[in-house]
Amino acid sequence: MHIKEQWNRLDPTTQQWLMDNPGCMVLPRTLTAIFNRATGENADMDAHGETVLTGEDRDFIQAKAREASGAAPGSDYRFFDASQP
């Protein structure tokens, strides 16, 4: 995916969902469909229609969430991500 390049094309509801779920590693199929429709891209989907977010996408979403919450970069605030298998 290219969330950083396509951020402004996403509707505010989708942007807010991403910022509310900054630790998300897999984009649900509903949001994958919204992203594809809004951007004209065809994100790589698994058999369930979900998309695995890249590290760059996750970093961008987390930065946007920090920005929206007013947390300073490098502050003690931590996202509680799921650990990799």
Side-chain angles (χ1 to χ4, degrees):
M1 291 197 115
H2 302 96
I3 290 179
K4 183 176 183 176
E5 292 89 16
Q6 303 293 347
W7 184 258
N8 293 327
R9 297 180 79 184
L10 298 174
D11 64 90
T13 304
T14 303
Q15 290 176 350
Q16 189 61 51
W17 188 94
L18 290 167
M19 289 187 293
D20 288 345
N21 298 281
C24 182
M25 297 182 76
V26 177
L27 196 61
R29 66 177 170 221
T30 304
L31 288 176
T32 297
I34 290 169
F35 180 87
N36 287 341
R37 187 173 51 250
T39 64
E41 286 191 20
N42 279 329
D44 294 332
M45 296 180 281
D46 63 13
H48 303 286
E50 300 171 329
T51 300
V52 176
L53 295 174
T54 65
E56 182 180 319
D57 287 334
R58 290 191 311 271
D59 291 344
F60 175 77
I61 293 166
Q62 290 174 2
K64 282 294 193 182
R66 273 190 221 95
E67 182 182 300
S69 72
S75 67
D76 289 342
Y77 183 80
R78 294 188 326 158
F79 293 106
F80 293 96
D81 294 337
S83 59
Q84 294 281 341

